Amino acid sequence: MTRVYQPTDYVVEKSRVSSFEKYKEMHKKSLEDPEGFWSEIANEFYWQTPPQPGNFVSYNFDINKGNVFVKWMEGAVTNVCFNLLDRNVRKGHGDKIAYYWEGNHPDDYSRVTYKKLTELVCQFGNALRDSGVGKGDRVAVYMPMILETVVCMLACARIGAVHSVVFAGFSSDSLAERMSDCNAKVLVTADGAWRGEKLLVLKNICDEAQQKAKQKYNHNVNTCIVVSHLNRVTPCGRLPDDIRTLYKWNDEKDIWWHDLVEGQSTICPPEWMAAEDPLFMLYTSGSTGKPKGVLHTTAGYLVYATATFRYVFDYAEKDIYWCTADVGWITGHTYVVYSPLANAATSVIFEGTPFYPDNDRYWALVDKYKVTQFYTAPTAIRALTKCGDEYVKMHDLKSLRVLGSVGEPINPEAWLWYYNLIGGGRCSIADTFWQTETGGHVLTSLPGATPMKPGAAGFPFFGVEPSLLDENGQVIEGPGEGYLVFAQPWPGIMRTLFGDHQRYQQVYFSKFPGYYCTGDGARRDEDGFLWVTGRIDDMLNVSGHLMSTAEVEGVLTEEPRVSEAAVVSKPHPIKGESLYCFVILNDGAVFDADLINSLKKLVRQRIGAFAAPDVIQYAPGLPKTRSGKIMRRILRKVAMGDHDIGDTSTLADPGVVEELFKSRP
Ligand code: WT7
């Protein structure tokens, strides 16, 4: 039996929702009267035209009844950046710290107030406008975790441009594909960045990506804006005397960020945006291999991000909040940039890794900044668990009150370590389940309100009503396990896939008409807790990074020696899941170390280092049904070395299974 953990008095005393009863009451109200519930938050914002009563939300989730659409606060007009910055400065938060920036090297840090951030954003907004970027234009962003990244995103929001951030761990191929798909007008990057002692020369990757975009997609990104970042006081390893020898400079297209903003006014009139105008897009992996440009819009996202941050982290005025996610992922968008600023919060933003200069870096920072809310991923927690408790005990972590987890299911051992050692048995853990598509948390525990079970995502956030469906689309009431779906929208859900509404409807709304389908399975237990059991489509989650088997298979078969490939997930003690790949070779090709290395390298090149396969296995054949569908269930068993494979009678050639077991490395 799983133990139930109740919020401690320490958390309850400071929480907004201080009992389970109160949560249930508020949750009920949020579903019965969405307008009443969300208006309260919306009313805090500045609106050029406020949301109109009676026209608060409209939607269709049923493809049989016509196009799927979601609209919140239609007719309202506002600007997200203005609400995050100017509004807070006007409310008296001008001198409040918006971010403590902590560089990769411990001697490298800075801070920025709300007033200063507003000025920097205005200057860069003007610079973007001068570069020909206007409302609706896409801006590709390929940047490290530095303040300019936040400035750039907010400047886009200010002038109505749509930022499309690509995680700076993606390869030049991935960047090329993404910036071509969204037809980006400019690309913003930095010369380079340190991750621990590793130097990443981002400028080179951008140059390659621009070339590849031209060659492969006939797409020209004519301007590349470059932050000079390597030229800082404390490099973390050896740099050449002249940093500029690390990359090439092309006056035709490259321009320094500092040259561009020099002399720009610190006043930049915001572009007033309709509630449903795009705010940003962000690519996420799709099961067919081609990334999906998830699009979020203005008013609903703002309101939802604000609410989830406030309630899930129980943020209070003097708190110091730290989310370790990279801005390249949705967690960084919503919970490093948009929602903390919307709440006038003070955040820590960290460039480096948990292991540099030593394995105590996270805990040193919690201590240094007296962090009250700490939000990270299970993969990081597991890796840090392995480093040993002494790194934690070196530091005073008593400032902590709420601990967040995101990205994948958290295993009970990691949860308990987090709870007992990091939280000192005093803090609440919010295991937040959500997706790029949901814009913000949808299932979670609430610090002072809901009980917790190690490994359970808990309960729906306000405005969210999850259902579990069986294979036939029947709703499972009470305890049970099924497809995790939602029958109605909350304000932060995505509105479409950029340039491909058809695919949006097909991927998310066609399996069960009337429902948004997450692609995850979930279980409801006797006490009503929801447990997310993981993806039920051909997606993998490696260290919290989602990728599709098709995407990796596509890369493996690019290698001339490989004729066919199948990729499955294998449980991994730190990464959660890892890639286990089966390859069938072309006639005459030899399976050897050279091939394995080439394949691993190819995946890094095409997708990014985080997608590197753990195992590549020679496959004499693949277990296929008579209709030619690969039975991945069987491959997963082979990967695990588990001979208990069950029924193989539907296989075209059952003999292949034994051969696969024999050829395991
Ligand atoms: C997928 C979404 C949302 C931010 C990071 C990932 C998995 C995410 C949890 C959690 C169990 C989780 C799901 C989901 N996932 N958080 N707390 N418990 N699974 O965003 O890249 O869009 O991935 O991550 O499988 O569908 P994403």
Side-chain angles (χ1 to χ4, degrees):
M1 265 277 296
T2 309
R3 182 179 149 192
V4 179
Y5 289 75
Q6 297 295 341
T8 60
D9 290 345
Y10 177 70
V11 173
V12 174
E13 270 165 24
K14 298 192 177 152
S15 72
R16 278 197 175 72
V17 186
S18 51
S19 73
F20 200 26
E21 300 322 315
K22 198 167 162 202
Y23 156 74
K24 284 192 252 186
E25 195 185 298
M26 284 176 71
H27 185 251
K28 191 158 168 269
K29 183 190 165 202
S30 71
L31 293 178
E32 285 168 0
D33 177 19
E35 174 164 349
F37 187 86
W38 297 110
S39 293
E40 258 179 54
I41 299 215
N43 287 342
E44 295 172 17
F45 292 116
Y46 173 81
W47 302 89
Q48 190 79 342
T49 309
Q52 303 301 304
N55 195 20
F56 212 78
V57 52
S58 58
Y59 72 99
N60 171 42
F61 268 15
D62 189 344
I63 43 165
N64 296 329
K65 293 191 181 142
N67 268 336
V68 175
F69 72 90
V70 177
K71 289 175 181 168
W72 285 85
M73 294 165 267
E74 208 188 354
V77 177
T78 189
N79 179 282
V80 170
C81 173
F82 185 87
N83 277 297
L84 268 43
L85 301 178
D86 311 56
R87 184 185 59 103
N88 281 327
V89 171
R90 288 175 192 196
K91 272 173 62 189
H93 297 304
D95 293 330
K96 189 171 178 182
I97 307 283
Y99 292 101
Y100 288 106
W101 179 76
E102 176 85 10
N104 182 58
H105 194 287
D107 289 341
D108 199 7
Y109 51 87
S110 67
R111 55 175 67 183
V112 63
T113 62
Y114 273 85
K115 180 160 173 286
K116 182 73 188 171
L117 185 59
T118 309
E119 291 172 3
L120 294 170
V121 166
C122 283
Q123 286 188 305
F124 193 63
N126 287 328
L128 280 176
R129 275 184 175 146
D130 279 358
S131 310
V133 178
K135 181 176 175 180
D137 289 337
R138 270 80 57 208
V139 173
V141 180
Y142 188 77
M143 290 177 86
M145 288 288 283
I146 56 179
L147 288 173
E148 285 87 346
T149 311
V150 179
V151 170
C152 173
M153 291 163 75
L154 296 175
C156 289
R158 190 166 194 95
I159 66 168
V162 179
H163 57 73
S164 174
V165 180
V166 178
F167 170 58
F170 272 112
S171 63
S172 58
D173 291 85
S174 296
L175 175 58
E177 181 179 20
R178 284 159 177 74
M179 65 189 186
S180 304
D181 184 77
C182 73
N183 202 3
K185 210 165 192 176
V186 304
L187 170 61
V188 187
T189 190
D191 50 357
W194 294 97
R195 295 274 302 159
E197 276 160 3
K198 198 169 154 227
L199 176 65
L200 304 171
V201 186
L202 302 177
K203 173 72 169 67
N204 286 337
I205 300 172
C206 287
D207 285 350
E208 277 171 39
Q210 278 177 283
Q211 250 169 32
K212 286 174 181 169
K214 201 180 296 173
Q215 284 159 5
K216 214 168 153 192
Y217 307 97
N218 193 24
H219 173 65
N220 282 308
V221 188
N222 295 323
T223 309
C224 184
I225 302 169
V226 187
V227 175
S228 167
H229 179 60
L230 288 178
N231 195 17
R232 295 188 64 90
V233 274
T234 29
C236 308
R238 264 179 55 85
L239 275 179
D241 291 338
D242 182 3
I243 294 169
R244 306 252 181 127
T245 58
L246 289 169
Y247 45 82
K248 292 198 191 70
W249 193 260
N250 176 350
D251 280 325
E252 304 265 291
K253 71 168 181 72
D254 298 329
I255 176 146
W256 287 113
W257 171 296
H258 54 261
D259 287 340
L260 201 60
V261 296
E262 197 188 81
Q264 291 288 359
S265 164
T266 53
I267 293 166
C268 172
E271 186 78 41
W272 296 111
M273 306 291 281
E276 288 299 338
D277 277 342
L279 175 62
F280 68 81
M281 55 185 297
L282 181 61
Y283 285 93
T284 185
S285 294
S287 51
T288 59
K290 190 176 180 287
K292 302 174 293 198
V294 169
L295 189 90
H296 286 288
T297 56
T298 299
Y301 176 83
L302 173 64
V303 166
Y304 197 69
T306 307
T308 49
F309 177 85
R310 188 174 300 173
Y311 287 112
V312 174
F313 299 121
D314 241 331
Y315 186 82
E317 168 117 34
K318 295 208 167 72
D319 286 348
I320 308 289
Y321 160 87
W322 179 20
C323 167
T324 67
D326 193 285
V327 176
W329 307 106
I330 189 70
T331 309
H333 282 60
T334 306
Y335 298 108
V336 175
V337 180
Y338 286 102
S339 69
L341 294 175
N343 284 282
T346 297
S347 305
V348 174
I349 183 166
F350 175 44
E351 180 185 26
T353 91
F355 316 107
Y356 179 83
D358 209 343
N359 296 331
D360 67 332
R361 189 70 187 278
Y362 273 5
W363 319 126
L365 291 186
V366 169
D367 195 354
K368 173 175 174 186
Y369 293 105
K370 302 294 169 217
V371 171
T372 39
Q373 287 89 355
F374 179 69
Y375 190 28
T376 196
T379 185
I381 298 169
R382 286 191 297 264
L384 289 162
T385 313
K386 299 270 179 302
C387 296
D389 296 359
E390 61 273 20
Y391 289 105
V392 181
K393 292 180 180 153
M394 289 159 71
H395 301 282
D396 178 1
L397 307 183
K398 284 198 193 63
S399 54
L400 291 169
R401 195 167 79 243
V402 180
L403 303 173
S405 173
V406 60
E408 56 184 307
I410 179 167
N411 49 309
E413 306 75 63
W415 194 99
L416 288 169
W417 186 83
Y418 203 25
Y419 186 84
N420 290 318
L421 194 67
I422 306 306
R426 185 181 68 249
C427 304
S428 271
I429 292 188
D431 176 0
T432 60
F433 167 86
W434 58 297
Q435 308 175 296
T436 306
E437 293 88 340
T438 68
H441 309 138
V442 285
L443 306 181
T444 177
S445 30
L446 283 195
T450 66
M452 295 161 276
K453 288 186 186 181
F459 301 91
F461 187 72
F462 303 127
V464 173
E465 188 164 41
S467 303
L468 302 181
L469 301 184
D470 67 18
E471 196 57 56
N472 303 317
Q474 296 300 311
V475 174
I476 300 167
E477 307 278 2
E481 185 170 338
Y483 292 88
L484 175 62
V485 301
F486 300 95
Q488 60 197 53
W490 52 92
I493 192 174
M494 72 175 154
R495 304 302 197 255
T496 190
L497 293 180
F498 182 84
D500 204 347
H501 199 68
Q502 224 29 55
R503 189 174 180 206
Y504 166 79
Q505 301 192 130
Q506 194 267 322
V507 173
Y508 302 101
F509 296 95
S510 67
K511 190 168 173 70
F512 301 113
Y515 295 96
Y516 165 74
C517 195
T518 57
D520 285 289
R523 178 167 67 84
R524 191 187 291 112
D525 71 14
E526 306 287 332
D527 304 321
F529 285 73
L530 288 161
W531 301 70
V532 177
T533 51
R535 302 294 306 188
I536 41 191
D537 47 12
D538 292 330
M539 301 290 277
L540 285 129
N541 189 327
V542 180
S543 302
H545 303 326
L546 214 55
M547 59 197 83
S548 72
T549 52
E551 190 178 5
V552 182
E553 287 160 4
V555 174
L556 295 173
T557 48
E558 272 181 41
E559 154 66 47
R561 284 168 280 183
V562 173
S563 77
E564 206 181 338
V567 175
V568 296
S569 135
K570 183 181 175 190
H572 185 280
I574 288 173
K575 298 194 263 190
E577 295 178 31
S578 62
L579 296 169
Y580 193 110
C581 312
F582 296 87
V583 291
I584 298 186
L585 303 191
N586 281 316
D587 283 350
V590 189
F591 187 82
D592 56 8
D594 176 68
L595 178 63
I596 295 175
N597 290 335
S598 308
L599 288 171
K600 289 188 176 173
K601 207 172 133 205
L602 198 61
V603 176
R604 285 168 167 272
Q605 256 171 24
R606 291 283 187 264
I607 306 176
F610 58 89
D614 273 41
V615 181
I616 308 234
Q617 173 179 338
Y618 166 76
L622 290 171
K624 288 187 184 169
T625 61
R626 277 174 212 103
S627 59
K629 191 171 155 40
I630 298 174
M631 288 185 78
R632 288 173 205 280
R633 176 178 68 76
I634 293 177
L635 292 177
R636 280 191 285 269
K637 293 279 185 182
V638 176
M640 295 288 290
D642 177 358
H643 287 263
D644 184 16
I645 48 169
D647 182 22
T648 55
S649 59
T650 55
L651 284 181
D653 170 18
V656 78
V657 179
E658 207 34 58
E659 290 194 46
L660 283 170
F661 274 108
K662 273 194 220 136
S663 55
R664 287 184 77 229

